[in-house]
Every structure is written in C-alpha cells, then in structure tokens.
Amino acid sequence: MFTLPGFPWDRLEPYKELAGRHPGGIVDLSVGTPVDPTPEPIRAALAAAADAPGYPMTYGRPELRESVAGWLRRRIGVTGADPAAVLPVIGTKELVAWLPTLLGVGPGDQVVFPELAYPTYDVGARLARAEPVATDGLLSLGPAAPKIVWVNSPSNPTGKVLPAEHLRKVVAWARERGSIVVSDECYLEFGWEPDHPPVSILHPDVCEGLHEGLLAVNSLSKRSNLAGYRAGIVTGDLTLVKRLLEVRKHAGMIVPGPIQAAMIAAFDDDAHVDEQRERYGRRRAVLRAAFEGHGFRIDHSEASLYLWATRGEECWDTVAYLAERGVLVGPGEFYGPGGARHVRIAFTATDERVAEAAARL
C-alpha cells in the first residue's frame, strides 16, 4: 500500500487567518495564482465554441496541434516542432501526477526529480508505486537507470535557470541509460535576466534536434491567465506522445472542445503574453526592492513568477513574521528539506496588493 504526503497548503491556513486580520487586509503572495483578466480574444474564442454537443478529440484538434507547433518554433526556438507530437492535457498538474502511471512506471522503478521541487513530482511517483528519488546530482545514482528524470527550469520554487550545457549533460546521461527526461517548462517565457535565458529541453542547443526520450510540459495558466481553464500540453518524442495518447483515450482524459478553441487563440497570439510579462516585471521589481530593503536576501530568482527569499531563519518563523504584517508567503519547506530557511514570494498579486505589501515592509 502506498502513502501520499499531507496536502501541504493546509498547514498554511492559521497564518492565512492571521494575515487576514490585518487592518489593511491580507496580501496573499503564497500561491502563484493569476489575478489579471483572461485576454478578451481567448474568451471570445471560448464563447464562439460554446455550442459543442459532440465529443472532443483526445488528440486535440489538428488546428490546435499546428498552433502549438508554431508557438514552439516562433517563441521557444524548437526548430523541429512536429504537430503530430503535440498532445493537449487537462492542466499540467494532472499530467505531472499521472505521467509515471501513464508511461507504465511501477514498483521497482525510480522517478528522479530535483531536491527542491514542485511536490507533485513526488506524488506522481507514489501514485505509480514507484520509488521517488530527490537529487540534484545524477552521478549520485551510480549505475541506476531511472525510468523518468524530471527537470524543471525555470524552477518552482527557486526561479533558477538551468543553462543549455547543463541540460545537454542531463540528456546525454539519460540516453545512455534509456531513461526518459521530462522537462516542466511552464515558466519558460518569464526569464528576467539576460545572462540566464531559459531554454527548452527540445531546443537544438540542448538535444541537437533529436527528441527521442524527451518530453516537454507547458501550460497556459501563467502565460495567458488561463489557470481556470485547465489547459496545457505535452510534446517531444512522437513515440512517447502516441503511448500517452492511447492510454488517455481509454481513460477519457480529454480537454473539452471549447477549451481547445481557446488554446488555439492563446498559442497564436504573442501580444498578450508580452503585455502580461511587463506587468509581472513591474511587480517583481517592486517586491524585490521592498524585501531586500527589509533585510531579506534573494537567491536565484532569475526567472519564473517567484522570489526565493531568506532572513537566515527557519521558514515558518519568516511566514509568521510576515503574516503579522498581513503578508502571506509560501514556506520553502513545502518544496523539500533544502528549503527550510527560505520562503517563496509570488508576484502574481494585483498592482494594488503588491504596492500594499511594499508599503508594509
């Protein structure tokens, strides 16, 4: 019998209540939930497709797969993007949690993920009854051949970016052992420092244009304010994508037709992403200055929608300190023992709430 960890965010509730008692109300910087409007062209596409009496395609409409491939070439530099190797998914958390199971991983197999990581990588391994392994050093695994190696760049929670040369080594290591590399890239379009540009696992600088054994996962939640739509994609190795497609057909894991129409509008348009990026860039600058001015040190944070911050104390002490000032942040411990002295600060709040947090600090 396998066990799952307790849902970590439940432990934050007392601090949320404390922050909510502040006279100016809570400033919630704990969860990276988009707060800005879903762009109007995307909403219009959803509404236009609302008359949908028939079943949608698990594989996704051909126009959707073409749209995603175009985005991959245009924005991400994946020159060999193949529409046939694109599969829409019901939000990427669902995919992360079920991917090991869908790929046939099971007891006796290893699923590797970073030491500081999105908790669902671990959950996905446990659901498959596989062995979860948290490590940042693949060499520590010795001769082992894990079934899946997760990479996450830009990282949640740290915002760290893995350069192309590092990812190349991961790909080479995995290919020698027959391991599948799955790259969680949902923050790929939110790099903030020119010296640390995020790069996809499917970029030719990383994989030499060969996608065998590689999968990239991306989401419209952050880039297009579509978290409520549950819209994401997985792409890469055509053989692996087809394996996922067959299982998902049997399991009824289908993105609704109107959502697919909205996804096409989102992937075809770059302007709304650039506009949202400017918003987040302003909020990031305000919060970084405020927290650093208050004595925090910001580590990594070259990309993503978070600041990885520390006061040199236990993370729960920092959470309590900020909650007394009406500001709620995420304890780094949620992401692994290595985060025990950091907190994650999301800059996905409104301009008004970001300004309020800065004023309180």
Side-chain angles (χ1 to χ4, degrees):
M1 181 66 181
F2 76 104
T3 59
L4 292 177
F7 190 65
W9 293 99
D10 292 342
R11 296 170 57 197
L12 204 56
E13 282 301 314
Y15 301 94
K16 186 174 183 179
E17 292 177 11
L18 173 60
R21 293 198 291 269
H22 190 280
I26 187 173
V27 178
D28 193 344
L29 307 178
S30 66
V31 182
T33 300
V35 297
D36 300 302
T38 299
E40 197 282 328
I42 298 174
R43 286 183 280 150
L46 178 75
D51 183 13
Y55 289 109
M57 298 175 64
T58 307
Y59 199 8
R61 292 165 52 179
E63 307 96 304
L64 172 56
R65 288 183 275 115
E66 289 284 354
S67 177
V68 174
W71 167 76
L72 286 164
R73 299 184 199 107
R74 185 177 71 250
R75 297 279 285 196
I76 312 302
V78 181
T79 53
D82 180 1
V86 172
L87 181 62
V89 295
I90 313 162
T92 51
K93 182 170 185 176
E94 168 261 312
L95 182 74
V96 171
W98 291 108
L99 186 67
T101 300
L102 296 175
L103 288 175
V105 174
D109 296 330
Q110 290 183 330
V111 175
V112 176
F113 46 85
E115 291 177 11
L116 281 170
Y118 185 44
T120 313
Y121 306 139
D122 174 69
V123 168
R126 292 170 187 251
L127 288 172
R129 274 69 167 182
E131 178 191 354
V133 179
T135 182
D136 289 336
L138 294 176
L139 295 180
S140 68
L141 298 174
K147 291 293 185 180
I148 293 176
V149 176
W150 282 99
V151 294
N152 176 212
S153 176
S155 163
N156 175 17
T158 69
K160 183 178 180 179
V161 173
L162 298 177
E165 54 267 30
H166 178 100
L167 292 172
R168 271 200 307 273
K169 292 177 182 177
V170 172
V171 169
W173 185 94
R175 284 177 169 166
E176 287 176 0
R177 288 158 178 79
S179 303
I180 298 168
V181 179
V182 188
S183 181
D184 184 349
E185 302 178 351
C186 71
Y187 301 102
L188 202 61
E189 291 182 274
F190 294 109
W192 305 111
E193 297 181 9
D195 292 342
H196 299 88
V199 59
S200 172
I201 201 83
L202 303 180
H203 194 283
D205 287 351
V206 174
C207 67
E208 298 181 342
L210 302 174
H211 295 173
E212 286 77 11
L214 307 178
L215 291 172
V217 178
N218 217 302
S219 166
L220 289 170
S221 295
K222 310 297 197 244
R223 72 181 293 279
S224 300
N225 296 332
L226 257 64
Y229 285 46
R230 310 313 303 132
I233 58 104
V234 60
T235 187
D237 184 327
L238 179 60
T239 300
L240 292 176
V241 169
K242 289 297 182 71
R243 281 173 58 187
L244 292 172
L245 173 62
E246 289 307 308
V247 180
R248 292 176 73 86
K249 283 180 179 179
H250 286 294
M253 294 176 168
I254 310 172
V255 176
I259 300 297
Q260 293 190 31
M263 292 174 71
I264 294 170
F267 278 116
D268 280 349
D269 178 57
D270 298 335
H272 77 276
V273 184
D274 294 335
E275 183 178 328
Q276 187 62 43
R277 177 186 165 82
E278 289 180 8
R279 289 192 192 106
Y280 283 143
R282 293 194 303 269
R283 293 166 186 166
R284 176 181 184 269
V286 169
L287 286 174
R288 180 161 195 156
F291 277 92
E292 288 183 329
H294 200 72
F296 283 77
R297 187 182 78 236
I298 307 298
D299 293 329
H300 303 303
S301 308
E302 303 101 9
S304 83
L305 301 182
Y306 311 106
L307 298 173
W308 188 238
T310 182
R311 293 201 328 151
E313 63 186 4
E314 293 299 317
C315 61
W316 288 104
D317 292 339
T318 306
V319 170
Y321 174 85
L322 290 169
E324 290 170 354
R325 287 150 182 81
V327 178
L328 189 68
V329 297
E333 183 186 87
F334 282 3
Y335 305 93
R341 301 179 76 82
H342 282 76
V343 294
R344 193 193 73 169
I345 302 162
F347 42 89
T348 53
T350 64
D351 290 346
E352 183 274 329
R353 290 286 85 186
V354 165
E356 177 67 18
R360 294 179 191 180
L361 294 174

